[in-house]
Amino acid sequence: MDALQGLMTGLGVMMTPAHLYYCLIGSIVGTLIGVLPGIGPLAALSLLMPVTFTLSPVASIAMLAAMFYGAMYGGSTTSVLVNIPGEAASVVTCLDGYQMAKQGRAGAALGMAAIGSFVAGTLSLVALTFFSPLLASVALRFGPPEYCALMLLGLVCTILMIEGSAVKGVVMIALGFVFSAVGMDAVNGTERLTFGSSDLSGGIELVAVVIGLFGISEILLNIEERAKNEVVASRIRDILPTLKDWAASWKPILRGSGLGFLLGVVPGGGPVTASFMSYAMERRLAKDPSRFGKGAIEGVAGPESANNAAVASGMIPLLTLGLPGNAVTALLMGALVIQGVQPGPTMITQHADVFWGVIASMYLGNVMLLVLNLPMIGLWVQLLRVPYAILFPVVLLLAVVGTYSTNKSFFDLWVMLGFGVLGYVLRKFRYEMSPLVLSLVLAPLLEQSLRQSLVMSADGFAIFASRPLTVGLLALSVLLVLAVVAGRHVFRPRSPLQGDMT
């Protein structure tokens, strides 16, 4: 009953014209982000996060979260019509969705993607509603040693989401630690890595870093590639799936919902992993696997359901443990901290309006997205024709305005540009940005909890061996490291695209 009462409280918080407006705006912008290839939710959220700083915490996170799961909805549109994923989690939708579009069934593919996303998102939100308070009540027993071990586990889990070299991933995590150390030491007041610069004494602004790494580097890469889109269908008909489509898709939707929920809760999982694993599972369970890659609607329904379920369940470790499982939830965590709300087990008691308001906003946003996506597919098709020469100057303008508006500092603009060039170079050498952002957010929390643990310990590091939960979390971290060393392919699904796309 506590969960239901909390949800009713959250709905009461959200049922104001202002909060509904920002949730709607987030849903529309998120869908637009997903539809326009070459931007992606990470770049877009980093660009637009400064806009939310003048809003209330509930409106701010509701808007950003709606952008995130809205991008999951919109990403399927480009995958089906252009064979270019609007964001990474929709990569596998290209395989069968594009083939369905070439067969004249683009409407059925887009309709099933939207409906599957809605069903999976709703089921995952129901589980989120009842599971989050339980996990938060357990996490209230955590002390600094447990938090230290939990943050370490989160950093180890980032290695699991790395698609390329694990060594490169560790290098990016180390860079995050270095950049997080810049500024004034909060305990003894000494300057660290400032090199005598007064601008660096306050640390490196997170917003400038993420806008540079994802926004500016994305602009540079797309200018270099000069991608050209060709839309398969100019008019979309028969959006509602047939009974035959439903018969083939309802089981993949349910399986994708369950798989996505589980992978979203686990740090290092998330929408991308969920969609790939769902596609692999559906192809393995199919009576005729040869249909996949040739227009099987199950190849659209399963992955699209999985990635949306993972978005909702990914909020569980963020809100209840203060542990972001991917780069987007790390940005959401940064936005909460900037708003004066610390995610974690005390959030449900100290900021109940924000906690339940965010969950309620996801229910409302999920409905808004279904209503928006089905009748407005024709509009999204036309937006796919926007030339890159028009799109990216607008993105660059948003990057500059968003960075400067955070602290009204010209130095932050140089930081943004510097990290933009750094991100461009690193991405050219196939380094991933997500581990850097996650470690940049988690490293200060790890340092704080480590120092608190050592202060309260009479025997130094022995305190970590004297608490059972801490020992368990540390042991899990060690096992994951050993598993990565032994063979990361066990934990990372092989791309079903290999050999299927040209």
PDB file of all heavy atoms in Angstrom, residues 32 35-37 39 227-229 231 379-394:
ATOM      1  N   LEU A  32      11.835  13.686 -31.143  1.00  0.00           N
ATOM      2  CA  LEU A  32      12.571  14.392 -32.197  1.00  0.00           C
ATOM      3  C   LEU A  32      14.042  13.995 -32.196  1.00  0.00           C
ATOM      4  O   LEU A  32      14.652  13.788 -33.252  1.00  0.00           O
ATOM      5  CB  LEU A  32      12.423  15.899 -32.003  1.00  0.00           C
ATOM      6  CG  LEU A  32      13.154  16.802 -32.991  1.00  0.00           C
ATOM      7  CD1 LEU A  32      12.642  16.566 -34.409  1.00  0.00           C
ATOM      8  CD2 LEU A  32      12.983  18.272 -32.594  1.00  0.00           C
ATOM      9  N   VAL A  35      14.323  10.621 -33.726  1.00  0.00           N
ATOM     10  CA  VAL A  35      14.022  10.605 -35.158  1.00  0.00           C
ATOM     11  C   VAL A  35      15.195  11.126 -35.974  1.00  0.00           C
ATOM     12  O   VAL A  35      15.531  10.574 -37.022  1.00  0.00           O
ATOM     13  CB  VAL A  35      12.759  11.434 -35.448  1.00  0.00           C
ATOM     14  CG1 VAL A  35      12.612  11.690 -36.945  1.00  0.00           C
ATOM     15  CG2 VAL A  35      11.526  10.721 -34.917  1.00  0.00           C
ATOM     16  N   LEU A  36      15.826  12.192 -35.524  1.00  0.00           N
ATOM     17  CA  LEU A  36      16.916  12.794 -36.291  1.00  0.00           C
ATOM     18  C   LEU A  36      18.211  12.044 -36.024  1.00  0.00           C
ATOM     19  O   LEU A  36      18.767  12.124 -34.935  1.00  0.00           O
ATOM     20  CB  LEU A  36      17.080  14.267 -35.909  1.00  0.00           C
ATOM     21  CG  LEU A  36      15.913  15.187 -36.287  1.00  0.00           C
ATOM     22  CD1 LEU A  36      16.141  16.580 -35.751  1.00  0.00           C
ATOM     23  CD2 LEU A  36      15.716  15.218 -37.799  1.00  0.00           C
ATOM     24  N   PRO A  37      18.717  11.297 -37.004  1.00  0.00           N
ATOM     25  CA  PRO A  37      19.948  10.538 -36.780  1.00  0.00           C
ATOM     26  C   PRO A  37      21.149  11.459 -36.622  1.00  0.00           C
ATOM     27  O   PRO A  37      21.206  12.538 -37.195  1.00  0.00           O
ATOM     28  CB  PRO A  37      20.079   9.699 -38.057  1.00  0.00           C
ATOM     29  CG  PRO A  37      19.312  10.448 -39.085  1.00  0.00           C
ATOM     30  CD  PRO A  37      18.191  11.137 -38.361  1.00  0.00           C
ATOM     31  N   ILE A  39      22.295  12.626 -33.600  1.00  0.00           N
ATOM     32  CA  ILE A  39      22.328  13.396 -32.347  1.00  0.00           C
ATOM     33  C   ILE A  39      22.387  12.426 -31.174  1.00  0.00           C
ATOM     34  O   ILE A  39      23.393  12.329 -30.489  1.00  0.00           O
ATOM     35  CB  ILE A  39      21.105  14.334 -32.228  1.00  0.00           C
ATOM     36  CG1 ILE A  39      21.056  15.296 -33.409  1.00  0.00           C
ATOM     37  CG2 ILE A  39      21.167  15.120 -30.923  1.00  0.00           C
ATOM     38  CD1 ILE A  39      19.870  16.232 -33.390  1.00  0.00           C
ATOM     39  N   ALA A 227      26.648  12.613 -43.639  1.00  0.00           N
ATOM     40  CA  ALA A 227      25.693  11.529 -43.891  1.00  0.00           C
ATOM     41  C   ALA A 227      24.512  12.020 -44.730  1.00  0.00           C
ATOM     42  O   ALA A 227      24.053  13.152 -44.610  1.00  0.00           O
ATOM     43  CB  ALA A 227      25.191  10.961 -42.576  1.00  0.00           C
ATOM     44  N   LYS A 228      24.033  11.143 -45.587  1.00  0.00           N
ATOM     45  CA  LYS A 228      22.881  11.446 -46.441  1.00  0.00           C
ATOM     46  C   LYS A 228      21.797  10.412 -46.207  1.00  0.00           C
ATOM     47  O   LYS A 228      22.071   9.219 -46.211  1.00  0.00           O
ATOM     48  CB  LYS A 228      23.287  11.441 -47.914  1.00  0.00           C
ATOM     49  CG  LYS A 228      22.144  11.819 -48.859  1.00  0.00           C
ATOM     50  CD  LYS A 228      22.610  11.805 -50.290  1.00  0.00           C
ATOM     51  CE  LYS A 228      21.464  12.164 -51.243  1.00  0.00           C
ATOM     52  NZ  LYS A 228      21.894  12.136 -52.652  1.00  0.00           N
ATOM     53  N   ASN A 229      20.580  10.872 -45.952  1.00  0.00           N
ATOM     54  CA  ASN A 229      19.480   9.962 -45.642  1.00  0.00           C
ATOM     55  C   ASN A 229      18.563   9.787 -46.850  1.00  0.00           C
ATOM     56  O   ASN A 229      18.243  10.755 -47.537  1.00  0.00           O
ATOM     57  CB  ASN A 229      18.646  10.517 -44.475  1.00  0.00           C
ATOM     58  CG  ASN A 229      19.504  10.806 -43.264  1.00  0.00           C
ATOM     59  OD1 ASN A 229      20.563  10.228 -43.100  1.00  0.00           O
ATOM     60  ND2 ASN A 229      19.039  11.719 -42.426  1.00  0.00           N
ATOM     61  N   VAL A 231      14.805   8.243 -47.439  1.00  0.00           N
ATOM     62  CA  VAL A 231      13.618   7.696 -46.790  1.00  0.00           C
ATOM     63  C   VAL A 231      12.943   6.706 -47.722  1.00  0.00           C
ATOM     64  O   VAL A 231      12.691   7.013 -48.892  1.00  0.00           O
ATOM     65  CB  VAL A 231      12.642   8.826 -46.394  1.00  0.00           C
ATOM     66  CG1 VAL A 231      11.420   8.262 -45.693  1.00  0.00           C
ATOM     67  CG2 VAL A 231      13.349   9.836 -45.508  1.00  0.00           C
ATOM     68  N   LEU A 379       4.588  13.289 -39.670  1.00  0.00           N
ATOM     69  CA  LEU A 379       5.407  14.474 -39.402  1.00  0.00           C
ATOM     70  C   LEU A 379       6.866  14.095 -39.193  1.00  0.00           C
ATOM     71  O   LEU A 379       7.781  14.759 -39.702  1.00  0.00           O
ATOM     72  CB  LEU A 379       4.870  15.200 -38.167  1.00  0.00           C
ATOM     73  CG  LEU A 379       5.708  16.387 -37.660  1.00  0.00           C
ATOM     74  CD1 LEU A 379       5.810  17.466 -38.723  1.00  0.00           C
ATOM     75  CD2 LEU A 379       5.121  16.948 -36.370  1.00  0.00           C
ATOM     76  N   TRP A 380       7.099  13.001 -38.428  1.00  0.00           N
ATOM     77  CA  TRP A 380       8.476  12.579 -38.188  1.00  0.00           C
ATOM     78  C   TRP A 380       9.163  12.182 -39.491  1.00  0.00           C
ATOM     79  O   TRP A 380      10.366  12.404 -39.664  1.00  0.00           O
ATOM     80  CB  TRP A 380       8.517  11.407 -37.209  1.00  0.00           C
ATOM     81  CG  TRP A 380       7.833  11.637 -35.894  1.00  0.00           C
ATOM     82  CD1 TRP A 380       6.961  10.807 -35.273  1.00  0.00           C
ATOM     83  CD2 TRP A 380       7.956  12.780 -35.026  1.00  0.00           C
ATOM     84  NE1 TRP A 380       6.524  11.348 -34.088  1.00  0.00           N
ATOM     85  CE2 TRP A 380       7.120  12.559 -33.911  1.00  0.00           C
ATOM     86  CE3 TRP A 380       8.674  13.974 -35.092  1.00  0.00           C
ATOM     87  CZ2 TRP A 380       6.995  13.469 -32.866  1.00  0.00           C
ATOM     88  CZ3 TRP A 380       8.552  14.890 -34.055  1.00  0.00           C
ATOM     89  CH2 TRP A 380       7.726  14.639 -32.971  1.00  0.00           C
ATOM     90  N   VAL A 381       8.402  11.612 -40.422  1.00  0.00           N
ATOM     91  CA  VAL A 381       8.982  11.248 -41.722  1.00  0.00           C
ATOM     92  C   VAL A 381       9.489  12.500 -42.444  1.00  0.00           C
ATOM     93  O   VAL A 381      10.584  12.501 -43.021  1.00  0.00           O
ATOM     94  CB  VAL A 381       7.928  10.523 -42.594  1.00  0.00           C
ATOM     95  CG1 VAL A 381       8.452  10.320 -44.013  1.00  0.00           C
ATOM     96  CG2 VAL A 381       7.570   9.179 -41.980  1.00  0.00           C
ATOM     97  N   GLN A 382       8.701  13.578 -42.383  1.00  0.00           N
ATOM     98  CA  GLN A 382       9.127  14.807 -43.044  1.00  0.00           C
ATOM     99  C   GLN A 382      10.350  15.425 -42.374  1.00  0.00           C
ATOM    100  O   GLN A 382      11.214  16.007 -43.046  1.00  0.00           O
ATOM    101  CB  GLN A 382       7.969  15.824 -43.055  1.00  0.00           C
ATOM    102  CG  GLN A 382       6.741  15.352 -43.818  1.00  0.00           C
ATOM    103  CD  GLN A 382       7.068  14.904 -45.234  1.00  0.00           C
ATOM    104  OE1 GLN A 382       7.786  15.594 -45.966  1.00  0.00           O
ATOM    105  NE2 GLN A 382       6.553  13.734 -45.623  1.00  0.00           N
ATOM    106  N   LEU A 383      10.459  15.289 -41.051  1.00  0.00           N
ATOM    107  CA  LEU A 383      11.616  15.835 -40.333  1.00  0.00           C
ATOM    108  C   LEU A 383      12.902  15.123 -40.711  1.00  0.00           C
ATOM    109  O   LEU A 383      13.991  15.686 -40.584  1.00  0.00           O
ATOM    110  CB  LEU A 383      11.387  15.746 -38.821  1.00  0.00           C
ATOM    111  CG  LEU A 383      10.393  16.751 -38.238  1.00  0.00           C
ATOM    112  CD1 LEU A 383      10.135  16.451 -36.769  1.00  0.00           C
ATOM    113  CD2 LEU A 383      10.918  18.173 -38.397  1.00  0.00           C
ATOM    114  N   LEU A 384      12.783  13.878 -41.182  1.00  0.00           N
ATOM    115  CA  LEU A 384      13.977  13.152 -41.615  1.00  0.00           C
ATOM    116  C   LEU A 384      14.639  13.809 -42.823  1.00  0.00           C
ATOM    117  O   LEU A 384      15.788  13.511 -43.139  1.00  0.00           O
ATOM    118  CB  LEU A 384      13.609  11.704 -41.958  1.00  0.00           C
ATOM    119  CG  LEU A 384      13.377  10.768 -40.766  1.00  0.00           C
ATOM    120  CD1 LEU A 384      12.813   9.443 -41.246  1.00  0.00           C
ATOM    121  CD2 LEU A 384      14.658  10.554 -39.996  1.00  0.00           C
ATOM    122  N   ARG A 385      13.921  14.704 -43.485  1.00  0.00           N
ATOM    123  CA  ARG A 385      14.458  15.364 -44.671  1.00  0.00           C
ATOM    124  C   ARG A 385      15.213  16.653 -44.336  1.00  0.00           C
ATOM    125  O   ARG A 385      15.696  17.335 -45.247  1.00  0.00           O
ATOM    126  CB  ARG A 385      13.321  15.662 -45.646  1.00  0.00           C
ATOM    127  CG  ARG A 385      12.503  14.423 -46.013  1.00  0.00           C
ATOM    128  CD  ARG A 385      11.402  14.758 -46.997  1.00  0.00           C
ATOM    129  NE  ARG A 385      10.509  13.620 -47.183  1.00  0.00           N
ATOM    130  CZ  ARG A 385      10.751  12.612 -48.019  1.00  0.00           C
ATOM    131  NH1 ARG A 385      11.860  12.611 -48.735  1.00  0.00           N
ATOM    132  NH2 ARG A 385       9.896  11.609 -48.134  1.00  0.00           N
ATOM    133  N   VAL A 386      15.310  17.004 -43.046  1.00  0.00           N
ATOM    134  CA  VAL A 386      16.040  18.220 -42.655  1.00  0.00           C
ATOM    135  C   VAL A 386      17.519  18.058 -43.007  1.00  0.00           C
ATOM    136  O   VAL A 386      18.166  17.104 -42.578  1.00  0.00           O
ATOM    137  CB  VAL A 386      15.902  18.483 -41.137  1.00  0.00           C
ATOM    138  CG1 VAL A 386      16.769  19.659 -40.718  1.00  0.00           C
ATOM    139  CG2 VAL A 386      14.445  18.738 -40.792  1.00  0.00           C
ATOM    140  N   PRO A 387      18.099  18.954 -43.805  1.00  0.00           N
ATOM    141  CA  PRO A 387      19.512  18.830 -44.182  1.00  0.00           C
ATOM    142  C   PRO A 387      20.427  19.018 -42.974  1.00  0.00           C
ATOM    143  O   PRO A 387      20.151  19.819 -42.077  1.00  0.00           O
ATOM    144  CB  PRO A 387      19.717  19.961 -45.198  1.00  0.00           C
ATOM    145  CG  PRO A 387      18.353  20.366 -45.625  1.00  0.00           C
ATOM    146  CD  PRO A 387      17.450  20.092 -44.460  1.00  0.00           C
ATOM    147  N   TYR A 388      21.537  18.292 -42.978  1.00  0.00           N
ATOM    148  CA  TYR A 388      22.505  18.420 -41.887  1.00  0.00           C
ATOM    149  C   TYR A 388      23.093  19.829 -41.828  1.00  0.00           C
ATOM    150  O   TYR A 388      23.499  20.293 -40.768  1.00  0.00           O
ATOM    151  CB  TYR A 388      23.628  17.396 -42.064  1.00  0.00           C
ATOM    152  CG  TYR A 388      23.307  16.051 -41.467  1.00  0.00           C
ATOM    153  CD1 TYR A 388      22.154  15.368 -41.840  1.00  0.00           C
ATOM    154  CD2 TYR A 388      24.142  15.465 -40.518  1.00  0.00           C
ATOM    155  CE1 TYR A 388      21.842  14.137 -41.298  1.00  0.00           C
ATOM    156  CE2 TYR A 388      23.834  14.228 -39.970  1.00  0.00           C
ATOM    157  CZ  TYR A 388      22.688  13.572 -40.369  1.00  0.00           C
ATOM    158  OH  TYR A 388      22.378  12.359 -39.824  1.00  0.00           O
ATOM    159  N   ALA A 389      23.159  20.488 -42.990  1.00  0.00           N
ATOM    160  CA  ALA A 389      23.713  21.846 -43.020  1.00  0.00           C
ATOM    161  C   ALA A 389      22.879  22.817 -42.197  1.00  0.00           C
ATOM    162  O   ALA A 389      23.386  23.840 -41.720  1.00  0.00           O
ATOM    163  CB  ALA A 389      23.796  22.337 -44.462  1.00  0.00           C
ATOM    164  N   ILE A 390      21.598  22.509 -41.994  1.00  0.00           N
ATOM    165  CA  ILE A 390      20.724  23.340 -41.160  1.00  0.00           C
ATOM    166  C   ILE A 390      20.719  22.846 -39.726  1.00  0.00           C
ATOM    167  O   ILE A 390      20.735  23.636 -38.780  1.00  0.00           O
ATOM    168  CB  ILE A 390      19.284  23.332 -41.728  1.00  0.00           C
ATOM    169  CG1 ILE A 390      19.257  23.985 -43.113  1.00  0.00           C
ATOM    170  CG2 ILE A 390      18.316  24.023 -40.778  1.00  0.00           C
ATOM    171  CD1 ILE A 390      17.903  23.923 -43.793  1.00  0.00           C
ATOM    172  N   LEU A 391      20.734  21.528 -39.552  1.00  0.00           N
ATOM    173  CA  LEU A 391      20.582  20.940 -38.226  1.00  0.00           C
ATOM    174  C   LEU A 391      21.755  21.247 -37.306  1.00  0.00           C
ATOM    175  O   LEU A 391      21.565  21.672 -36.158  1.00  0.00           O
ATOM    176  CB  LEU A 391      20.405  19.419 -38.366  1.00  0.00           C
ATOM    177  CG  LEU A 391      20.282  18.619 -37.079  1.00  0.00           C
ATOM    178  CD1 LEU A 391      19.046  19.041 -36.300  1.00  0.00           C
ATOM    179  CD2 LEU A 391      20.232  17.129 -37.398  1.00  0.00           C
ATOM    180  N   PHE A 392      22.981  21.064 -37.769  1.00  0.00           N
ATOM    181  CA  PHE A 392      24.103  21.113 -36.843  1.00  0.00           C
ATOM    182  C   PHE A 392      24.540  22.515 -36.422  1.00  0.00           C
ATOM    183  O   PHE A 392      25.067  22.672 -35.321  1.00  0.00           O
ATOM    184  CB  PHE A 392      25.261  20.291 -37.401  1.00  0.00           C
ATOM    185  CG  PHE A 392      25.023  18.821 -37.219  1.00  0.00           C
ATOM    186  CD1 PHE A 392      24.523  18.051 -38.238  1.00  0.00           C
ATOM    187  CD2 PHE A 392      25.222  18.226 -35.990  1.00  0.00           C
ATOM    188  CE1 PHE A 392      24.251  16.707 -38.058  1.00  0.00           C
ATOM    189  CE2 PHE A 392      24.956  16.884 -35.794  1.00  0.00           C
ATOM    190  CZ  PHE A 392      24.475  16.119 -36.831  1.00  0.00           C
ATOM    191  N   PRO A 393      24.344  23.571 -37.226  1.00  0.00           N
ATOM    192  CA  PRO A 393      24.550  24.908 -36.657  1.00  0.00           C
ATOM    193  C   PRO A 393      23.614  25.204 -35.485  1.00  0.00           C
ATOM    194  O   PRO A 393      24.003  25.879 -34.527  1.00  0.00           O
ATOM    195  CB  PRO A 393      24.263  25.831 -37.848  1.00  0.00           C
ATOM    196  CG  PRO A 393      24.604  25.022 -39.037  1.00  0.00           C
ATOM    197  CD  PRO A 393      24.193  23.621 -38.686  1.00  0.00           C
ATOM    198  N   VAL A 394      22.386  24.673 -35.557  1.00  0.00           N
ATOM    199  CA  VAL A 394      21.449  24.842 -34.438  1.00  0.00           C
ATOM    200  C   VAL A 394      21.958  24.097 -33.210  1.00  0.00           C
ATOM    201  O   VAL A 394      21.902  24.616 -32.087  1.00  0.00           O
ATOM    202  CB  VAL A 394      20.045  24.335 -34.837  1.00  0.00           C
ATOM    203  CG1 VAL A 394      19.094  24.399 -33.649  1.00  0.00           C
ATOM    204  CG2 VAL A 394      19.500  25.146 -35.998  1.00  0.00           C
TER     205      VAL A 394
END
